[in-house]
Amino acid sequence: MSLSRTALGRYVPILDWGRRYDGRAAGADLMAAVIVTIMLIPQSLAYALLAGLPPQMGLYASILPLVAYALFGTSRALAVGPVAVVSLMTAAAVGGLGLQGPAEYALAAITLAFLSGLILLVMGLFRLGFLANFLSHPVIAGFIAASGLLIAASQLKHILGVEANGHSLLAMLGGVIGDLGQTNPITLAIGAGSAAFLFWVRKGLKPLLISVGLPPRLADSLAKAGPVGAVAVTTLLSWGFDLAGRGVAIVGEVPKGLPPLTLPSFDMALWGQLFASALLISIIGFVESVSVAQTLAAKKRQRIVPDQELVGLGASNVAAALSGGYPVTGGFARSVVNFDAGAETPAAGAFTAVGIAGAALFLTPLLFFLPKATLAATIIVAVLGLVDLGILKRTWNYHRADFTAVAATIALTLGFGVEIGVSAGVILSIALFLYKTSRPHIAEVGVVPGTQHFRNINRHEVWTHPAVVTLRLDENLYFANSRFIEDYLLERVARGGVRHVVLMCSAVNEIDLSALEALEEINRQLADESVTLHLSEVKGPVMDRLSHTHFLADLTGEVFLTQYMAQATLGPVEGCPHWRDGGRENVA
């Protein structure tokens, strides 16, 4: 019984932490939920606007998905819901379908959430979380930075009160510039004023509140509620001065009540159109969530289970699809607030869902006069914190290949939209990886005098034997680099005077069939030249694999446990007159 409970707790984590839940944890979770709820209400509305959806869908996406994650997620602090990048990707995915009317648009967004949930669930059940590793951190950083700029640019039309469209940065800015003459000054005052206030709140409100005597924690909580203050003040101004009658765009009627029960479309043609977008949203959302969750868990010496996180996020997206929402994931800023507010368990998310449900039931009539410019300012302030163009300088200084991937991701995202940008970033990262590993670093090594250590002859002063060449292979051997290694080795032997070649395999974790065939060919060609091939420091798993082939039986030389044993057997260096000064310049 205990074993089955443990196994079930692995797949339904609430059965594990729920047994230890007490009043202290509940109090901490409730406090965190209050703060996150206050933060999430304007964000949910704003991100739905960003996705091109009715504002209530943002609230709906912040109720049942949070409950689903509380049941199946493993992070104690991750706050799930609508986020800026996924909202932008939703707009790009659904906006390109040529749908007629908001009802079809909303159904496509619901279907996108359902597809994303299914993909995440399948990945979790089959433990495919490693697939997210194909998105390198520099590519993700570049994508998020470019997306932040795109999102901010997309909201300028709401700040100015003009009509402007486009999916690329130049198209958006061109549309805004072309319509500048139609700017509504009242809308601009509200949008710019809200943005200025929110920027100040981020940096200046907390110190001000502390200076007047408020406790730091309370001051921090009030500062986090800044967007709610902007919403309340501008809504009152809009209502009191009838700003809608003066051309200020307002949210309008937001249906009152709990999320409706909805079903996705089961039109396979629509699924086919949305699948690629759903896959990208799933992977991007998973990478963002896991990065945040791991960072926060490490601060409390906790751990998350990435494959179970896939299940938790998958269940959250399916829940969104069944309750009138759109794709969700774990948000960075929201999760940090949840963590800082003292959340102890995923129950904080469930309590937040109750708060959002209360807002959907009782507060939505108050949002009728809310200016869209205020929501746009909320989005701009939130996403500009994600823009880190310093990644370009860091990757340029560290590794030009990474810089190429980041620069291409940023340029293509800004120029052609989020899906092309991130797809190109992934493809380019994989291509660069294959290129780098197809031309692995190979070091000719010798023994450091007075030691049993072997180092690169071009980096250190070492002893070598003229008849023994030792090559250290600093990469796994596989189909992409087997020919390169074969050509390199045979070219080195062709210089003459070599009787023994030792391949030092201390860095080799894998030899695939193509590489094995290359080694067999090398062994034959060296034998024709009366040169013996040896291996040293072969790792156990690699040796196990080789033992099932004829290669070891056909090998003209030996397999040595250590490189020092190989050198001592084949060409002892003690008293050897051939000193090699590796020269420290031109280090490869």
Side-chain angles (χ1 to χ4, degrees):
M1 177 67 71
S2 62
L3 179 61
S4 81
R5 180 182 296 175
T6 301
L8 190 58
R10 186 167 65 248
Y11 296 105
V12 188
I14 192 174
L15 298 179
D16 179 28
W17 59 261
R19 294 199 305 270
R20 300 185 296 275
Y21 201 62
D22 55 24
R24 183 193 63 80
D29 287 343
L30 279 169
M31 178 59 68
V34 170
I35 295 172
V36 174
T37 299
I38 293 172
M39 178 184 184
L40 188 53
I41 290 172
Q43 275 194 354
S44 298
L45 299 169
Y47 291 151
L49 178 71
L50 173 61
L53 297 166
Q56 66 269 19
M57 289 187 70
L59 294 175
Y60 297 162
S62 304
I63 300 176
L64 281 189
L66 279 70
V67 177
Y69 184 82
L71 294 174
F72 298 104
T74 62
S75 172
R76 304 296 179 94
L78 190 70
V80 171
V83 300
V85 172
V86 170
S87 297
L88 179 65
M89 295 180 74
T90 299
V94 179
L97 298 179
L99 300 175
Q100 301 296 320
E104 288 188 9
Y105 196 98
L107 180 61
I110 289 170
T111 305
L112 185 64
F114 187 73
L115 268 175
S116 179
L118 289 183
I119 291 170
L120 288 164
L121 286 172
V122 169
M123 290 175 65
L125 293 175
F126 288 94
R127 301 184 178 277
L128 299 179
F130 70 90
L131 292 177
N133 295 335
F134 288 107
L135 279 173
S136 68
H137 175 72
V139 166
I140 286 291
F143 170 70
I144 291 178
S147 296
L149 292 174
L150 276 181
I151 291 168
S154 73
Q155 298 307 299
L156 290 177
K157 63 181 182 182
H158 297 297
I159 296 289
L160 298 172
V162 300
E163 294 290 336
N165 296 299
H167 294 292
S168 69
L169 183 64
L170 290 178
M172 291 176 185
L173 294 179
V176 168
I177 293 172
D179 291 342
L180 275 179
Q182 302 172 24
T183 299
N184 184 303
I186 301 176
T187 300
L188 176 59
I190 291 174
S194 297
F197 170 75
L198 292 173
F199 276 119
W200 173 77
V201 162
R202 281 195 160 194
K203 300 293 184 182
L205 183 57
K206 181 178 177 180
L208 177 64
L209 294 175
I210 293 175
S211 69
V212 299
L214 288 183
R217 186 157 185 168
L218 178 59
D220 185 64
S221 300
L222 291 175
K224 295 291 192 302
V228 175
V231 166
V233 171
T234 56
T235 300
L236 285 173
L237 289 173
S238 174
W239 170 73
F241 293 96
D242 187 25
L243 297 185
R246 304 186 182 199
V248 175
I250 61 175
V251 168
E253 183 177 358
V254 179
K256 179 180 178 181
L258 294 175
L261 177 63
T262 55
L263 289 174
S265 168
F266 291 97
D267 179 356
M268 290 299 105
L270 179 62
W271 280 40
Q273 290 176 298
L274 292 175
F275 181 80
S277 298
L279 180 62
L280 286 175
I281 287 173
S282 300
I283 295 177
I284 291 288
F286 172 64
V287 171
E288 182 178 353
S289 292
V290 167
S291 299
V292 175
Q294 287 178 332
T295 300
L296 298 179
K299 292 184 177 182
K300 288 191 175 182
R301 296 186 178 181
Q302 297 167 348
R303 60 186 298 272
I304 65 167
V305 182
D307 287 323
Q308 183 60 31
E309 283 297 292
L310 285 166
V311 175
L313 292 173
S316 296
N317 277 279
V318 171
L322 297 179
S323 57
Y326 69 99
V328 298
T329 192
F332 175 76
R334 193 181 310 141
S335 298
V336 171
V337 170
N338 196 39
F339 179 86
D340 290 341
E344 292 284 340
T345 72
F351 293 147
T352 300
V354 174
I356 301 296
L361 276 172
F362 304 111
L363 299 183
T364 50
L366 303 178
L367 300 173
F368 184 92
F369 292 98
L370 171 61
K372 289 185 177 181
T374 304
L375 295 180
T378 301
I379 293 173
I380 289 174
V381 173
V383 300
L384 286 183
L386 302 175
V387 178
D388 176 22
L389 295 180
I391 188 68
L392 289 169
K393 180 180 179 180
R394 294 194 296 274
T395 52
W396 175 266
N397 292 334
Y398 185 74
H399 201 292
R400 301 297 163 82
D402 284 337
F403 170 81
T404 302
V406 172
T409 301
I410 292 176
L412 291 172
T413 301
L414 294 177
F416 299 97
V418 291
E419 293 185 356
I420 291 178
V422 72
S423 300
V426 173
I427 293 170
L428 187 56
S429 292
I430 294 173
L432 288 171
F433 169 78
L434 290 174
Y435 175 77
K436 287 185 290 186
T437 57
S438 71
R439 301 175 61 84
H441 181 255
I442 302 175
E444 185 171 343
V445 299
V447 66
V448 178
T451 74
Q452 296 186 13
H453 298 291
F454 286 76
R455 292 294 184 267
N456 192 330
I457 65 172
N458 292 321
R459 291 177 181 266
H460 304 272
E461 295 179 344
V462 294
W463 289 102
T464 62
H465 190 285
V468 180
V469 170
T470 298
L471 300 177
R472 190 187 69 222
L473 307 175
D474 292 337
E475 184 58 73
N476 292 332
L477 310 186
Y478 74 117
F479 63 92
N481 61 26
S482 56
R483 182 62 181 268
F484 176 86
I485 293 170
E486 180 180 346
D487 292 344
Y488 184 99
L489 192 151
L490 294 177
E491 187 276 331
R492 175 61 185 86
V493 172
R495 299 177 194 173
V498 179
R499 296 201 308 271
H500 300 282
V501 171
V502 184
L503 296 183
M504 186 176 174
C505 300
S506 53
V508 177
N509 298 309
E510 178 73 24
I511 298 176
D512 76 357
L513 186 59
S514 296
L516 175 64
E517 292 174 350
L519 290 177
E520 292 173 339
E521 180 62 24
I522 290 169
N523 186 53
R524 284 193 292 269
Q525 292 195 44
L526 291 182
D528 293 341
E529 301 291 333
S530 300
V531 177
T532 307
L533 177 66
H534 308 268
L535 305 179
S536 73
E537 302 190 8
V538 182
K539 294 185 176 180
V542 177
M543 196 67 181
D544 291 341
R545 187 73 60 85
L546 293 178
S547 66
H548 291 94
T549 71
H550 295 289
F551 174 70
L552 295 179
D554 297 336
L555 186 65
T556 55
E558 301 180 48
V559 179
F560 294 96
L561 182 63
T562 69
Q563 178 55 37
Y564 191 80
M565 292 173 60
Q567 190 73 62
T569 302
L570 303 175
V573 296
E574 183 177 356
C576 178
H578 299 278
W579 174 270
R580 290 291 295 271
D581 182 353
R584 301 181 189 279
E585 69 278 4
N586 300 323
V587 174

